Amino acid sequence: ATPTTRFTVPWELTRSDKVFHDSEEHGTLKLTSTGVLARSSNVGTVLAADKIGGATLYSYLKKFGLGSPTGLNFPGENKGSVPAPNTWSGTTFPTLAFGQGYSVNAVQAASVFATIANDGVRVAPSLVKGYVLPDGTVQQATAPATTQVVSAATALRTRPRVAGATSRPSAGSAITRTTADGRSGSTSVADSMSTATAPERASSARREPDTMCSELAMAATLAGMPSARNRPASSRALGQA
């Protein structure tokens, strides 16, 4: 797969007993994988994740460090939560694909982008670079553990997708004249008084319901999909095929 791998993206699709849709109604779109991320398309991300399946997506979420302690041993850290596959309902997989249904902390989220930028190598977060002994000698801390989450080639193909989300003017505070990785999405807020999502507090999530899991699904898709020959990216605007 490449940044120009193509998807036919309707406004909505059904998985199990749930209808999923993008934040704004549209006709059928022909998008590249880059366009899926740039447009924060829930439906497109689900279609991409369909190509690899739930088990592979889950394994990549865990390899990126989500749902596990960061290892910082910092007081009060919440390790987040990624539901195990044996607890999934019929709608869990598509929900996870576009970044809802699990929780992360700020360090975990930053680590995902750092891993993609670091040629697919995840470096365990650390707080202490070194310390000074009583005699004034500087002792370097033990080097953090590293994990090759995705190949360097996969990370290289994924970076333009992630950068595309922050470089286009409609992404809000678009960043120009430099390369920036990020996501423009948000997530739903759980109602503290019940197990349901509070509609009044989730309105912004409905307007732009995507979050950073999009690029995780795409990275996993790239790792699991064979390469395909597609038209040059220069022939498209905003990832449209």
Side-chain angles (χ1 to χ4, degrees):
T2 72
T4 57
T5 297
R6 289 170 283 181
F7 296 90
T8 300
V9 182
W11 175 57
E12 62 181 16
L13 55 78
T14 301
R15 290 293 182 270
S16 190
D17 58 347
K18 173 71 174 179
V19 176
F20 293 91
H21 57 76
D22 286 338
S23 57
E24 296 181 1
E25 187 171 356
H26 58 74
T28 300
L29 300 175
K30 301 291 186 179
L31 298 178
T32 63
S33 54
T34 301
V36 167
L37 280 179
R39 292 173 180 269
S40 293
S41 172
N42 290 347
V43 173
T45 305
V46 172
L47 294 173
D50 279 346
K51 294 181 177 294
I52 59 165
T56 299
L57 176 60
Y58 176 79
S59 72
Y60 273 90
L61 292 174
K62 299 301 290 185
K63 287 178 181 178
F64 272 106
L66 306 186
S68 301
T70 62
L72 293 176
N73 298 316
F74 199 71
E77 176 186 321
N78 187 321
K79 69 175 184 178
S81 176
V82 178
N86 62 359
T87 68
W88 290 6
S89 70
T91 59
T92 302
F93 170 54
T95 301
L96 291 175
F98 59 77
Q100 297 186 9
Y102 71 90
S103 62
V104 299
N105 62 43
V107 173
Q108 291 169 334
S111 179
V112 171
F113 299 113
T115 298
I116 295 172
N118 193 38
D119 290 336
V121 177
R122 180 177 181 271
V123 179
S126 59
L127 286 174
V128 178
K129 182 178 181 179
Y131 49 93
V132 180
L133 300 176
D135 63 1
T137 303
V138 176
Q139 178 69 50
Q140 296 295 322
T142 303
T146 60
T147 304
Q148 188 80 48
V149 178
V150 296
S151 69
T154 294
L156 180 64
R157 291 194 297 265
T158 302
R159 284 198 288 269
R161 297 165 170 73
V162 183
T166 55
S167 61
R168 64 190 180 94
S170 60
S173 300
I175 300 173
T176 59
R177 303 182 68 175
T178 189
T179 298
D181 288 357
R183 293 300 303 129
S184 59
S186 55
T187 188
S188 297
V189 180
D191 188 339
S192 61
M193 301 302 292
S194 72
T195 59
T197 298
E200 66 277 11
R201 286 189 281 169
S203 59
S204 62
R206 285 199 302 272
R207 288 194 298 271
E208 195 171 0
D210 181 38
T211 189
M212 66 90 182
C213 189
S214 297
E215 64 270 11
L216 298 186
M218 199 61 70
T221 299
L222 287 171
M225 291 170 57
S227 295
R229 298 179 64 183
N230 295 288
R231 289 180 293 163
S234 60
S235 67
R236 301 180 181 88
L238 286 179
Q240 189 148 356

